[in-house]
Each structure stands twice: as C-alpha cells, then as structure tokens.
Amino acid sequence: MPQDPDPPPAKRFKPGSPFFRLDKKPGMLLPRTGQAPVSVDAQRRQLPIYQAKTQLINQLRQLHNAVIIGETGSGKTTQIPQYLYEAGIGRQGIIAVTQPRRVAAISLSSRVAEEKRVQLGKIVGYTVRFEDVTSSETKLKFMTDGMLLREAIGDPLLLRYTVVILDEAHERTVHTDVLFGVVKSAQRKRAEQNKVPLKVLVMSATMDVDLFSQYFNNSPVLYLEGRQHAIQIYYTKQRQSDYLQAALVSVFQIHQEAPASHDILVFLTGQEEIEALARTCRDIAKHLPDTCGPMTVIPLYASLPQAQQFRVFQPAPKGSRKVILSTNIAETSITISGIKYIIDTGMVKAKRFNPDSGLEVLAVQRVSKAQAWQRAGRAGREDAGSCYRLYTEEEFDNFANMTVPEIQRCNLASVVLQLLALGVSDVLNFDFMSKPSPESMRTAVEQLNILGAVDRKDEKVLLTPLGKKMASFPLEPRFSKTLLISPDFSCTEEILTIISLLSVDSVLYNPPARRDDVLAVRKKFISSEGDHITLLSIYRAFKKVNGNKEWCRENFVNSRNMGLVSEVRGQLRDICIKMNMKLESSQSDIANIRRCLAHGMFMNAAQLQLDGGYVALDTQQAVAIHPSSVLFQAKPAYVVFNELLHTSRCYMRDLCLVDADWLQEAAPEYFRRKLRATKS
Ligand code: ADP
Ligand code: MG
C-alpha cells in the first residue's frame, strides 16, 4: 500500500476534535493515473473499463444474460451501451439502459451524447416521467425503470428492445425489482416464440450479486477492475446527538485545514436540511478570516431543477473549495470528480411500511453497512481520500449489513395494479427476486379492492374497468382514482391542477431568513380549507400573470417547479382526453373539489381526537398536522392528507378539510368496518 505523501489533515486536528484516526480500510489499489486528461476521447480511454473492452464485447456478444460488477465511476453506464452499439450488438432494436433516478438518466444520456458528439434526442436519448427526449433514430435510450415498466404495459415482450441493461441493480428500487420479473418473462417468451432474442444485462456497483445471477438463469458474473484508492475512515469518539451540527463542524474543520482543491461531499437526508445547511455554510464561510479560502456550496437532491443539478459536475472557481451537500443520490448513480473528503451522517430518508397497519411512511433512518462503504468509496475515485463517519465504530457495527429491498418495505398497491395491467395473471405468486411478505401483498390487493380497482374471484385477482383506467395514469392509485371520479364532481380541471402540484416538488420557496415577508405575501392565497386549495389558488394566480418571473419572485414561488406543474398537467390532461373524460371546471365552487378529494383519498383520512391530536382512520395510528401546513394552527374535525412523514412524530403533510359525511359516502362499507375495529 503506498504511503500517503501528505499526512491527512485529520492527523493535524487539534485536541478536542471529535475524530480519532482509524486504520485504513484496505482497498483495491491500482496505479494512479497522471494529470487529468483534456479531451473526452482521452477521458474515455482512461476509464478502467477501457482495457477490458475487447474481452467484454466478445463475452457480451455470446451471452443472453450477464451480471456486471464494477466500482462506481469505472465506466459501466456510459461505456457499455456504446461498446455494444459500436460492435453492432443489438442493432436491430434499441438498447435500453434503466436508471432508478430521473436525474441520472438525464445526466448520463447527456454525457454519452457528448462523448458520441451527437445531439441529445437523436441516436442517444432519454425518457423519464413526463419527459421524452428520444426520436425514431434513438438507439441508446436511457430511461427510468418506471418508464420501461410503463412501456411494458403496451408491449409486454419489449419488442422494441434488443438489449435491456438494468443498471444500478444494487439499489433495488421497487420499479427495478418489478422490472426484473417483467424482463425475465419477456426474455423467456421471446425465446419460446422464436422472436428476436432479448439480451439482459444487470449492472451493479456492489459485490453481492449472487441473487441477481441466480435469478437470471445462473448468469455469469463479469468483474471489472475498478480504480479505488485507499480511503481512511474516521469514526467519532462519541455518539452525535445532532448529525447536522456534527456535519457542519466537520465541513469547517476540513475547510480550515485542507488545500482548496480538495472537495467535500456530505451525505444528508433530504432537500430541507440540505438547503438549510447550505445556507448556514455560506453564511459562516463569508465571515471566516482571509486565511481560509472561499467555499462554493452546492446542494444535490433528486427534485432539484436540472440545470442546478449539473452544477455539481462543474469545478469550483479557482481557489474555492467545492462542498456538495447531497442525498444518497451521490452514493452510486452519479460520479463527481475531485472529491477528496466524504462526510457521512449515516442517515438516509427512506420508505418504511408496516403491513399490519398498512401504513407507509418516509422516515430518516440509519444506512446499512453496504451503503456506508459505498459512500466512503466516493472519496477514493482519483486519489487517496478520507471518510468522516459521524457515528462511532460501535454504532457502525450495529448497522444492518444490507439495505432491505424497497419492495419489502413499501405499500404495494401501485405494484399490484401495474402487474395486473401488464397482464400478469397470478399476481400473488409473481416471480419476484425477493418476495414481499404475503401480508403486504394481501394488504395491497385489499386497498385496490376498496378503491374499486380490482375484484377478487376465488383466489384470483382481476382488474376492473376502473382499475384498467387507473393504470393508464403514471400516478399512484389514489391519485388516478381521484382524477377518474372528478367528472362526477365537475372539477376535473381543478383536480388535474392539484394532482400535478402534488406530483412535483414544492412550488413554494421558503427562505427562512425572510420568513415574515413570506408569511405576508402568502396570506392572500391561504385557504382555511387546507393546503390543496391554497396551492390551487397559487397556481391560478400564477396562470393569471402568465407565469411572470417577477411575480414569482415577489410571491416566493419557484417558477421552474411551477413550469413543470403546467407540463405535468398538460400530459395528464391529454390522457384524460384520450379516455373521453369530461373536462369541467368547478370555477369558484371549492366544496365540490374537497368532496372529490374526500372520495378519492378516503384511505388517507384522519379524525380529531378529544385530546387535540389526530388518528389516521385507516390504521388507528396517532398523527399530527405538519407545521408547514396551512391548517397547522387549526383543528378541523376531519381531514384527508397526502402523505405521512416520520420525524420526531408522525406528521401528515398537505391536508384538505373534509366532512365526515363525505367519507362515509365514499366508502360506507370500509368505514363501517373501521368503526367496528375502533370499538372492539
Ligand atoms: P459507472 O457506471 O461505472 O459508475 P460511469 O459510466 O457513470 O461509471 O462514469 C464513468 C466516468 O465518466 C466517470 O468517472 C466520470 O468521470 C465520467 N462522467 C460520467 N458522467 C459524467 C457527466 N455527466 N459529466 C462529466 N463526466 C461524467
Ligand atoms: Mg453507473
């Protein structure tokens, strides 16, 4: 193992620093490359995968299935599709590369288009929800796994594709897991029917791929040698009660000690805390003595507007240190060069599901060991690096080894609906790589049954005509249901707006420093009937001024996200038109809109209790109104909510005031049962 030419700054930390030094984790060491190359072609040739190119092409030509493992950054995603294409493999159709995240699909396709010197959308394109940048020429198509699933509904054999690359397989998102089954079945059926064969490649950044290999007919596993330099791991001496504070301290310790060219990547859990920490960092950096260089703080999370996401790839101005504050998005899907330090809070925001209660919540929780190693690895891409873990070694020892696949910890209603729409006859016994528990499958079927999307005949689950229509929308079942029943309440135009607003990230911009100003301008939009109606008023006002940027600034509205809302709305509206739905506006009749929401979202209803708290009617779980809601200070008797967020307690987010009668009307049998359950 080579010696570090410079002692890492941590060694020079003053006494009282929260860190102590730990032995290096032995890494796979390969020769360092020299100066950063300039041309894109040279960059391609420098990638670890390049040396394996010929061998790889020869093997992939022969195989129908393969699992490919390589460190993040070795060139799997950007190079393998190009190698296949250049070698003429799968030329009769399209090579699909699936990604769990839309930002990755977009940025990777842009990169590949740049490397091939073609315009994005021609030979190389991408498709993500609500956005399709492909054409009839497209041969290399980057897409979210969710999009390929949607395409499979119309084309279960995926006949347009000759190769499907299931990338980032280790992430095990629900969509990827469902896709595994869909692709496997398409491959088998195509072989049986003597159609053009489908090549299926699974790519992963982690080593535990036995499951993938077994599932795909014991496919061979190809290892790519990565370029991983030694990484020093530091743990905290003591447990940290406030990981944000610990992260802040660590950023500035490093900032004061390390050369400016050494960039820092901090793993956090979500948009709100990232934006807050970014502001604090910028503020502190401004007031540091001149001996400290400037700092360029860049947030990164999935919902960030695209143009801003791309900032992470750009170098900071000369002499300035780049500090990236990111969610787990930077764990594997995106490779950022120049990172020398990782600060790992050990936390991640993820879905958690309790099949007994049927409750799905987003919660901040510990990462797994596998994730922690993956995070640490981001520091060793180009040279030796360091990872500061904001937890003790003992805490780390107690982390779970692997992350439980999402399919085993989420509400499966969408999945079951999608499988039925795909024509899977025996959904309860679908060939999942990791089977979800029978209870959660049953809960999902029951929920869809209550929504009227499925019927049960004996042991069979069948899609109803309503269910079939529901599956046509790229929305969660309760949203598509709400939209489909909206003509009964003559408010389809409004429901389209509301659902679009809930489908993109917040259109409201809330800079804490200007809290009073925000409150003052928001006043005119706030509705005592809840957040849905408030958002609707904001959208209407936005439309009235034709999306005027100045208006957005004055009203603390995120104009980009609002623009996206309009786009999403347009696409959903097109689907409604195709289905011959009556598109009416309820104009100023707000009660109708709330009734419609009550009828569609009744499974997300909560009731006020004598003690002033709330109980979710479906699960009897104690819940509270999130402080961001316009109803936070109010105590409505009944509400429906959009989602639950679990932090210190279980919060309902985005609420609408409803009448108890409406809920009863919407699902009499369901509420009778719930009532009985409450009494017993
Ligand atoms: P893998 O899939 O093995 O993690 P990738 O193919 O995504 O690797 O990335 C290979 C290399 O391509 C990265 O190390 C990085 O240098 C470069 N790269 C990838 N995406 C971009 C981008 N959007 N901008 C600049 N460079 C990129
Ligand atoms: Mg990749």
Side-chain angles (χ1 to χ4, degrees):
M1 214 177 279
Q3 290 296 303
D4 286 303
D6 298 307
K11 282 194 203 160
R12 292 180 266 125
F13 280 171
K14 293 161 211 74
S17 137
F19 298 105
F20 68 94
R21 170 136 187 249
L22 206 97
D23 284 342
K24 288 176 186 180
K25 173 183 182 263
M28 295 177 284
L29 285 169
L30 283 167
R32 297 175 189 204
T33 49
Q35 285 299 303
V38 255
S39 81
V40 170
D41 286 338
Q43 277 181 40
R44 286 188 67 189
R45 284 194 296 274
Q46 295 253 335
L47 287 171
I49 199 171
Y50 183 71
Q51 284 156 30
K53 180 175 173 179
T54 316
Q55 211 188 344
L56 199 61
I57 291 172
N58 288 339
Q59 285 188 299
L60 294 181
R61 204 189 288 281
Q62 317 287 334
L63 296 167
H64 286 304
N65 291 101
V67 177
I68 303 165
I69 318 180
E71 259 292 324
T72 300
S74 52
K76 299 183 297 299
T77 313
T78 53
Q79 306 308 305
I80 289 179
Q82 296 189 69
Y83 291 174
L84 293 173
Y85 178 76
E86 284 155 17
I89 299 173
R91 274 284 172 104
Q92 310 95 307
I94 302 172
I95 299 174
V97 188
T98 67
Q99 295 291 320
R101 297 191 174 85
R102 55 183 280 141
V103 44
I106 298 169
S107 88
L108 289 161
S109 58
S110 317
R111 172 69 183 183
V112 172
E114 185 192 334
E115 289 184 4
K116 289 191 76 64
R117 297 192 182 78
V118 294
Q119 194 189 334
L120 189 61
K122 301 279 183 171
I123 292 181
V124 184
Y126 71 87
T127 307
V128 298
R129 190 166 80 138
F130 302 126
E131 214 184 333
D132 182 7
V133 184
T134 62
S135 61
S136 54
E137 283 170 60
T138 304
K139 290 285 175 190
L140 299 181
K141 181 163 161 184
F142 288 81
M143 60 206 299
T144 48
D145 37 22
M147 284 316 297
L148 188 56
L149 265 184
R150 295 215 72 79
E151 287 194 12
I153 294 180
D155 175 19
L157 297 188
L158 300 169
L159 287 168
R160 305 172 61 196
Y161 301 95
T162 41
V163 183
V164 171
I165 301 178
L166 301 162
D167 199 6
E168 307 289 339
H170 56 268
E171 290 232 3
R172 302 294 305 274
T173 64
V174 175
H175 283 146
T176 314
D177 268 28
V178 178
L179 207 48
F180 284 147
V182 169
V183 168
K184 185 178 170 182
S185 138
Q187 188 181 41
R188 197 195 57 228
K189 287 186 185 145
R190 274 164 67 161
E192 284 166 6
Q193 298 173 18
N194 281 326
K195 297 223 153 70
V196 179
L198 178 66
K199 205 184 274 298
V200 177
L201 309 180
V202 176
M203 305 209 291
S204 168
T206 58
M207 301 293 274
D208 47 288
V209 294
D210 293 352
L211 209 56
F212 301 135
S213 162
Q214 277 161 25
Y215 184 75
F216 284 103
N217 319 312
N218 290 318
S219 55
V221 177
L222 313 179
Y223 294 84
L224 291 172
E225 250 182 303
R227 189 193 293 140
Q228 182 64 44
H229 301 275
I231 295 158
Q232 288 197 36
I233 305 284
Y234 301 87
Y235 293 90
T236 58
K237 284 181 199 158
Q238 265 131 26
R239 280 169 184 265
Q240 302 293 306
S241 55
D242 182 348
Y243 66 83
L244 288 177
Q245 180 62 24
L248 188 67
V249 170
S250 315
V251 166
F252 283 96
Q253 271 194 357
I254 296 170
H255 186 54
Q256 288 175 11
E257 307 261 344
S261 60
H262 291 182
D263 296 340
I264 306 174
L265 169 61
V266 189
F267 283 101
L268 296 156
T269 72
Q271 170 172 2
E272 278 157 42
E273 72 182 24
I274 286 175
E275 289 292 356
L277 195 66
R279 263 187 310 270
T280 315
C281 284
R282 288 182 193 124
D283 279 353
I284 297 178
K286 248 186 268 166
H287 298 105
L288 286 178
D290 291 343
T291 46
C292 275
M295 183 186 273
T296 307
V297 185
I298 303 172
L300 177 64
Y301 43 86
S303 59
L304 198 69
Q306 226 167 298
Q308 288 181 43
Q309 282 176 355
F310 282 116
R311 286 183 56 209
V312 300
F313 297 114
Q314 289 154 8
K318 205 164 162 42
S320 180
R321 180 190 319 283
K322 189 154 91 171
V323 177
I324 298 166
L325 308 180
S326 173
T327 59
N328 60 340
I329 191 170
E331 239 169 64
T332 57
S333 7
I334 286 183
T335 312
I336 306 158
S337 52
I339 301 294
K340 188 88 173 164
Y341 295 95
I342 297 296
I343 297 172
D344 177 15
T345 58
M347 299 304 227
V348 66
K349 202 189 278 172
K351 275 185 202 156
R352 217 157 45 189
F353 180 67
N354 179 344
D356 295 331
S357 66
L359 198 76
E360 178 182 271
V361 290
L362 259 182
V364 170
Q365 48 198 300
R366 279 298 189 201
V367 296
S368 64
K369 282 185 184 146
Q371 273 179 293
W373 285 123
Q374 193 61 39
R375 288 179 173 191
R378 304 300 90 236
R381 279 268 303 113
E382 287 137 353
D383 204 346
S386 309
C387 174
Y388 294 84
R389 292 182 164 165
L390 304 181
Y391 38 87
T392 65
E393 195 177 11
E394 207 186 345
E395 283 178 286
F396 174 74
D397 287 338
N398 289 320
F399 286 9
N401 282 332
M402 301 297 305
T403 313
V404 177
E406 197 183 359
I407 194 111
Q408 295 178 334
R409 55 184 166 84
C410 77
N411 182 325
L412 296 173
S414 294
V415 171
V416 171
L417 187 66
Q418 209 151 28
L419 288 176
L420 288 168
L422 284 164
V424 174
S425 51
D426 189 4
V427 262
L428 294 176
N429 294 306
F430 182 71
D431 177 21
F432 282 113
M433 191 155 77
S434 306
K435 287 216 181 312
S437 72
E439 300 88 82
S440 49
M441 285 300 275
R442 267 200 300 276
T443 309
V445 171
E446 196 183 322
Q447 288 187 351
L448 288 171
N449 185 245
I450 295 166
L451 284 174
V454 303
D455 269 338
R456 262 176 307 187
K457 286 219 176 70
D458 310 320
E459 276 304 282
K460 279 208 139 175
V461 183
L462 302 170
L463 209 54
T464 62
L466 174 68
K468 197 158 179 220
K469 285 187 189 160
M470 282 166 66
S472 313
F473 290 96
L475 295 171
E476 281 179 52
R478 63 201 154 93
F479 285 150
S480 44
K481 160 102 183 195
T482 311
L483 193 51
L484 282 160
I485 58 171
S486 63
D488 299 344
F489 302 89
S490 310
C491 61
T492 305
E493 296 286 4
E494 283 76 17
I495 294 294
L496 273 170
T497 305
I498 290 171
I499 288 175
S500 308
L501 282 157
L502 296 177
S503 298
V504 309
D505 281 284
S506 184
V507 295
L508 305 179
Y509 171 57
N510 295 319
R514 303 195 49 194
R515 205 167 151 255
D516 293 342
D517 298 337
V518 174
L519 287 178
V521 297
R522 281 281 150 74
K523 250 199 194 113
K524 57 182 178 286
F525 302 115
I526 286 182
S527 159
S528 56
E529 292 162 304
D531 302 295
H532 298 77
I533 307 300
T534 303
L535 284 170
L536 178 65
S537 314
I538 297 175
Y539 182 82
R540 281 174 167 170
F542 170 84
K543 279 284 149 185
K544 215 179 220 158
V545 298
N546 282 321
N548 180 297
K549 288 245 161 64
E550 188 56 34
W551 179 90
C552 288
R553 225 184 337 269
E554 281 165 15
N555 288 282
F556 298 98
V557 163
N558 181 327
S559 67
R560 225 187 293 256
N561 285 1
M562 257 317 189
L564 200 59
V565 170
S566 295
E567 268 175 50
V568 170
R569 192 181 182 285
Q571 297 194 20
L572 293 176
R573 200 167 182 276
D574 287 345
I575 303 178
C576 293
I577 292 170
K578 269 197 210 123
M579 285 200 218
N580 289 320
M581 280 169 64
K582 205 158 76 191
L583 295 171
E584 279 182 287
S585 163
S586 74
Q587 310 289 345
S588 54
D589 182 357
I590 298 298
N592 250 350
I593 301 172
R594 291 192 294 119
R595 260 174 88 161
C596 180
L597 288 170
H599 275 249
M601 315 268 286
F602 61 87
M603 273 193 278
N604 283 10
Q607 181 186 20
L608 180 66
Q609 304 297 296
L610 289 175
D611 64 3
Y614 283 82
V615 156
L617 291 176
D618 192 50
T619 58
Q620 300 303 314
Q621 151 115 19
V623 291
I625 298 180
H626 195 269
S628 68
S629 170
V630 297
L631 296 179
F632 181 55
Q633 305 284 4
K635 292 257 176 244
Y638 289 90
V639 291
V640 289
F641 57 86
N642 184 38
E643 64 175 352
L644 290 173
L645 179 75
H646 202 103
T647 50
S648 50
R649 47 204 297 206
C650 201
Y651 285 112
M652 305 179 274
R653 259 210 303 216
D654 294 321
L655 291 85
C656 178
L657 185 91
V658 296
D659 284 6
D661 295 351
W662 300 343
L663 294 172
Q664 283 291 345
E665 230 168 76
E669 177 53 29
Y670 167 81
F671 281 104
R672 241 192 313 277
R673 254 187 299 145
K674 290 289 159 200
L675 226 58
R676 265 205 305 275
T678 328
K679 280 181 187 143
S680 61

